[in-house]
Amino acid sequence: MWSANSKNIKRQNYQLTLEPEFILRFDNKIKLTTLGRFRSISLDALSPENVTDNAYSPYSKPLFIGNSSELELREFYVEIPSDNYYFTLGKQQVVWGKADGLKVLDIVNPQSYREFILEDFDDSRIPQWMANIETRLGEWDAQLLWIPEQSYHVLPGNDALYTPTSPLLAPKPPPGVSVDVQPIDRPGRTLTDSDIGLRLSRFWQDWDLSLNYLYQYDNFVLPYQRRSLTTNGPHVDIEPQYQRTHMLGGSFSNAFDSWVVRGELAYFSDRYFLAKGTRDSDGITKGEEASYVIGLDWAGLENTLISGQLFQSVVINRQSATLRDKTDSTLSLLANHTLFNETLELRLIWLTNTNIGDGLVRLRVTYEWRDNLKTWVSSDTFYGSEEGLFGQFDANDRLTFGIEMGFE
Amino acid sequence: MLKTPLLLLSLLSICSANSVAQNPVRNSESVLPTGEQVAAHINSRDEGEAVSRKLSIVMRDKRGKTRHRETMSYRQYYANEKRTVIFYLSPKNIKDTAFLTYDYNDPQLEDNQWLYLPALRKVRRISASDRGDYFLGTDMTYEDIKLETRVSTADFNFQTIDTCEVDGYPGLQIEGTPKSQTIAKELGYSKTLSCVDKAVWMVRQSQFWDIKGNLLKTVIVSNIEQIQGIWSQQNIDVENHKTGHSTRLIFSDIDYQRPVPDDIFTTNAIKRGL
């Protein structure tokens, strides 16, 4: 993959990715899957070492080779079917929910934000070591997750291309205040710090329904502040920590004529938010959060899908010192059209945050030349205020050209 | 087997309705069965309660470029519906994609369809009106894939036109016209003309016209043999006359006797794959 800044065609990076996959099948239907990834990146700004790699658990951390390459065991799990249970044990991804591109329930695995949200979720999700047990409970399918491994969202390090600069994500100290960042206080107790998940799902009266529960550490690190006055002036120690939350939610989808309606919702019992300036003693406020996404897909034109989504997050019991708005809304639009027996695919994705008015427009043209060979050209254009999640990368618009080959 | 009483009932009602609605066609030798009777014969043909089989798909564009797909498919009849699932095994860029459909006997009920997309790792619900869209790059629509060798009496009125012959097999030529403009638009067909082998009650050749009345595609069913006592097609060739693209479906390892587990027809199963 080759990408360049679309304003000045200045090269952002070359990237070579190899993803070998091995599947071993045994006579008793047991299956062992291994998926690796070698990634070599030519240029500085996305370099793999330039991330907060301490967000990785030692059991999941990629092997960094020099300052431009990484080798990672992406997935390694065994599937064991039995009469009443289906066990999937090992390093894996678990995806919940019905939304596209916006995450409410798809939070079981943490994510790498090395390329903000431009990387495919399948590549940016961080697989974790876990036990995934599925069974049937009457009319319901039940899934139980036990995740002893603690990896969290990986954010780009300082001065990387997609380092967050929005005040909504990265507080800046006032002039004259010195800052020290302490090591992250990582939860380290294998059993008591495990994440636990439960999903019940069923097909009922043409509806696909699920109920989801997750007890997890929020994957975003919280920059707690300890302020002091030293002989050199005011000083802040940042003491990053992770906090736990209960998540209770659900999802639904159904089809009506040319339309598919789908959605997700979730309630988080303990949420922590950045505080405005010094209005809170440690820079973090506490509250609860309710989030939902509702989507409508329309397939009324041949080989075309048009899909709109509304995502909203509401802070419940919001403290006055909380920086973010009580309600935050994002809209998305997807238009996808295929031509020539699905060899040519045209895709438009538009995301906009209505609180700030910033957004992201993604265009992609993919052509399948033959089995296992396709190429694509895409453009990612950010716009809006640099205070917004999208607008902060307004200078990082990019054009990308990629080639994907498969070997069997 | 579960479906037989229902089909007999529907056959009886169709026959009784036809005695009023349609005049039988007479050729030089005998009176031909009506189109609805032929359709009923096709749809009551024994397809086995369940089947598992490999399906190879070869797609060729007008310049001769070919793409191959290897799949495994399963189908099972239940009291009120037919369930079908197709798992893509290769090539790499489409591997693990899977399609699941519940096709209800009651024509008033919309089918339920799901597609598992491995790139998203999500099962996507597909609206039933997508049925006129082409199935994953082939020249078959979702509806064609769902119907297999049957014909839809809920969507089409059938009329026997004449006798016909394909590769030396004598048959009956039936014309299908959509029951409404809405159905025609949904399916993308304004007319079908099929030659039905009256010895085995299988369509051997069909032609489809688009909603503007232009010849759209020709389907040839060949290599029909009895497998475990059930007449089974092993090749289907579809040629799209508008695009010059063609698709060949090759069925192999057809097995009507191996039990197909119920839980393979679930969204969990298409997520896990084979």
Side-chain angles (χ1 to χ4, degrees):
Chain A
M1 191 179 86
W2 173 88
S3 66
N5 189 299
S6 53
K7 290 190 176 110
N8 54 20
I9 313 296
K10 186 181 167 191
R11 186 177 53 152
Q12 283 187 354
N13 78 89
Y14 292 129
Q15 186 169 306
L16 172 70
T17 305
L18 298 173
E19 290 185 325
E21 182 185 48
F22 304 98
I23 295 175
L24 270 178
R25 294 172 194 275
F26 301 92
D27 289 344
N28 43 7
K29 294 190 177 173
I30 291 176
K31 192 164 83 169
L32 177 68
T33 300
T34 307
L35 180 65
R37 180 168 73 188
F38 170 78
R39 189 153 60 177
S40 183
I41 303 166
S42 69
L43 215 63
D44 54 0
L46 290 173
S47 294
E49 93 290 359
N50 197 13
V51 295
T52 54
D53 60 25
N54 45 11
Y56 285 109
S57 140
Y59 309 109
S60 272
K61 191 174 177 178
L63 174 67
F64 297 116
I65 305 166
N67 61 2
S68 63
S69 301
E70 63 179 10
L71 185 63
E72 184 180 3
L73 178 65
R74 288 285 293 165
E75 296 181 47
F76 182 72
Y77 56 86
V78 61
E79 290 167 88
I80 308 168
S82 74
D83 287 346
N84 299 315
Y85 294 93
Y86 194 94
F87 297 90
T88 308
L89 309 172
K91 194 178 186 196
Q92 59 191 289
Q93 297 187 32
V94 171
V95 181
W96 284 355
K98 307 283 182 196
D100 284 339
L102 298 168
K103 294 187 170 193
V104 173
L105 293 178
D106 182 9
I107 54 171
V108 175
N109 293 94
Q111 183 180 341
S112 167
Y113 287 91
R114 199 181 60 114
E115 294 182 55
F116 184 47
I117 58 166
L118 301 181
E119 207 174 5
D120 289 343
F121 284 159
D122 195 41
D123 295 322
S124 63
R125 239 180 252 116
I126 297 170
Q128 285 174 295
W129 295 93
M130 68 174 90
N132 173 357
I133 303 157
E134 292 167 277
T135 189
R136 190 94 182 147
L137 291 178
E139 294 296 315
W140 293 82
D141 290 312
Q143 180 186 46
L144 178 68
L145 304 174
W146 175 52
I147 312 171
E149 186 216 302
Q150 291 299 316
S151 285
Y152 305 99
H153 289 329
V154 168
L155 300 173
N158 290 333
D159 302 324
L161 203 55
Y162 294 101
T163 302
T165 56
S166 161
L168 293 170
L169 296 173
K172 285 193 173 54
V177 176
S178 59
V179 176
D180 278 331
V181 179
Q182 305 301 321
I184 295 176
D185 180 14
R186 291 175 52 88
R189 299 164 300 176
T190 305
L191 276 178
T192 49
D193 286 330
S194 297
D195 292 352
I196 296 288
L198 176 67
R199 186 188 65 181
L200 296 172
S201 57
R202 70 172 293 186
F203 180 59
W204 179 76
Q205 303 276 322
D206 291 342
W207 288 89
D208 296 302
L209 301 172
S210 80
L211 295 170
N212 304 65
Y213 168 76
L214 192 62
Y215 181 47
Q216 73 165 176
Y217 277 95
D218 188 341
N219 285 310
F220 279 110
V221 70
L222 296 163
Y224 281 91
Q225 300 176 17
R226 189 158 52 83
R227 299 174 191 134
S228 57
L229 196 58
T230 66
T231 51
N232 296 326
H235 180 78
V236 175
D237 280 299
I238 304 291
E239 298 173 337
Q241 291 177 35
Y242 295 97
Q243 292 285 3
R244 265 204 186 283
T245 182
H246 295 274
M247 186 281 292
L248 189 61
S251 70
F252 60 87
S253 70
N254 198 350
F256 303 93
D257 195 26
S258 300
W259 301 87
V260 172
V261 60
R262 56 193 167 76
E264 302 174 16
L265 65 164
Y267 162 78
F268 297 87
S269 61
D270 301 277
R271 281 299 218 199
Y272 299 84
F273 309 101
L274 293 179
K276 294 175 194 164
T278 54
R279 289 179 60 184
D280 186 88
S281 60
D282 60 6
I284 301 291
T285 64
K286 188 179 175 193
E288 299 149 64
E289 184 185 353
S291 296
Y292 73 88
V293 59
I294 184 156
L296 208 50
D297 303 337
W298 182 68
L301 288 174
E302 194 175 324
N303 300 319
T304 303
L305 175 70
I306 295 174
S307 171
Q309 296 181 124
L310 165 66
F311 169 87
Q312 280 198 316
S313 151
V314 181
V315 180
I316 302 166
N317 296 325
R318 177 180 178 273
Q319 296 178 25
S320 59
T322 302
L323 179 65
R324 61 157 280 184
D325 293 341
K326 181 175 176 60
T327 302
D328 189 76
S329 306
T330 300
L331 293 168
S332 79
L333 176 72
L334 162 76
N336 198 82
H337 184 64
T338 58
L339 295 154
F340 310 125
N341 294 79
E342 295 195 5
T343 50
L344 182 65
E345 182 184 19
L346 313 174
R347 175 178 291 184
L348 162 72
I349 297 173
W350 176 49
L351 291 159
T352 181
N353 180 282
T354 58
N355 291 54
I356 292 182
D358 60 337
L360 166 65
V361 179
R362 312 192 70 184
L363 289 164
R364 179 166 162 140
V365 180
T366 307
Y367 187 71
E368 183 184 325
W369 295 93
R370 55 184 169 85
D371 292 335
N372 288 329
L373 174 64
K374 66 179 178 185
T375 57
W376 71 89
V377 180
S378 65
S379 77
D380 300 306
T381 306
F382 297 96
Y383 67 89
S385 164
E386 62 185 20
E387 296 201 348
L389 297 181
F390 302 110
Q392 64 183 327
F393 301 121
D394 193 16
N396 287 358
D397 298 346
R398 73 177 191 183
L399 291 170
T400 303
F401 173 72
I403 302 174
E404 184 181 306
M405 296 178 75
F407 305 94
E408 288 170 82
Chain B
M1 284 174 70
L2 288 168
K3 213 172 180 186
T4 308
L6 284 170
L7 287 167
L8 282 174
L9 271 177
S10 60
L11 182 59
L12 286 171
S13 60
I14 287 165
C15 292
S16 123
N18 282 336
S19 60
V20 179
Q22 268 191 28
N23 294 320
V25 174
R26 188 179 295 274
N27 72 0
S28 57
E29 294 172 3
S30 61
V31 175
L32 300 179
T34 66
E36 299 299 336
Q37 286 171 330
V38 174
H41 274 298
I42 293 169
N43 289 345
S44 61
R45 192 180 64 80
D46 183 12
E47 284 189 313
E49 200 171 328
V51 67
S52 55
R53 59 198 169 181
K54 282 184 181 169
L55 169 60
S56 304
I57 303 170
V58 183
M59 295 173 282
R60 183 187 297 272
D61 72 10
K62 62 182 175 187
R63 289 170 298 177
K65 184 181 81 177
T66 57
R67 294 178 293 155
H68 298 79
R69 307 280 186 260
E70 295 297 330
T71 74
M72 187 73 204
S73 77
Y74 302 88
R75 187 254 299 142
Q76 170 88 44
Y77 281 105
Y78 292 87
N80 299 313
E81 77 251 29
K82 177 177 82 171
R83 297 182 177 182
T84 307
V85 64
I86 301 174
F87 295 94
Y88 276 72
L89 308 176
S90 73
K92 182 83 177 69
N93 63 346
I94 198 167
K95 180 178 169 288
D96 296 332
T97 301
F99 173 65
L100 171 67
T101 179
Y102 292 180
D103 169 22
Y104 297 101
N105 297 343
D106 182 349
Q108 300 302 315
L109 295 177
E110 277 192 1
D111 299 340
N112 288 306
Q113 297 180 336
W114 299 264
L115 189 64
Y116 176 68
L117 299 167
L120 300 178
R121 297 201 187 215
K122 282 185 180 175
V123 176
R124 186 182 270 282
R125 190 71 174 263
I126 303 174
S127 77
S129 70
D130 286 2
R131 59 194 187 136
D133 278 8
Y134 286 101
F135 180 74
L136 296 176
T138 69
D139 293 287
M140 313 279 283
T141 63
Y142 281 88
E143 182 73 3
D144 297 335
I145 293 286
K146 188 192 80 181
L147 285 172
E148 292 190 60
T149 60
R150 295 185 186 259
V151 292
S152 174
T153 51
D155 292 323
F156 287 92
N157 291 312
F158 291 101
Q159 189 177 5
T160 305
I161 303 294
D162 203 346
T163 56
C164 56
E165 190 177 291
V166 177
D167 293 336
Y169 296 97
L172 297 165
Q173 193 169 49
I174 59 168
E175 183 184 274
T177 47
K179 288 188 171 174
S180 71
Q181 195 60 28
T182 307
I183 290 171
K185 277 187 180 170
E186 269 185 25
L187 297 175
Y189 305 140
S190 63
K191 188 177 88 167
T192 68
L193 200 59
S194 304
C195 186
V196 182
D197 183 335
K198 59 185 178 185
V200 296
W201 295 112
M202 290 180 76
V203 173
R204 285 198 177 265
Q205 182 173 317
S206 286
Q207 288 178 301
F208 296 77
W209 280 260
D210 67 15
I211 52 175
K212 290 179 183 167
N214 300 314
L215 182 61
L216 176 64
K217 61 187 183 183
T218 301
V219 178
I220 296 172
V221 180
S222 59
N223 206 1
I224 295 175
E225 287 180 8
Q226 260 192 327
I227 296 174
Q228 295 163 347
I230 295 169
W231 288 102
S232 312
Q233 84 281 5
Q234 292 174 85
N235 295 117
I236 298 177
D237 289 277
V238 188
E239 185 180 359
N240 187 315
H241 301 292
K242 281 172 82 173
T243 63
H245 193 274
S246 64
T247 301
R248 165 162 266 220
L249 308 180
I250 304 153
F251 298 91
S252 60
D253 295 352
I254 301 169
D255 192 337
Y256 296 100
Q257 292 172 347
R258 191 169 76 180
V260 177
D262 290 340
D263 61 8
I264 207 165
F265 303 103
T266 62
T267 50
N268 267 349
I270 63 173
K271 220 184 289 182
R272 289 177 195 145
L274 290 179

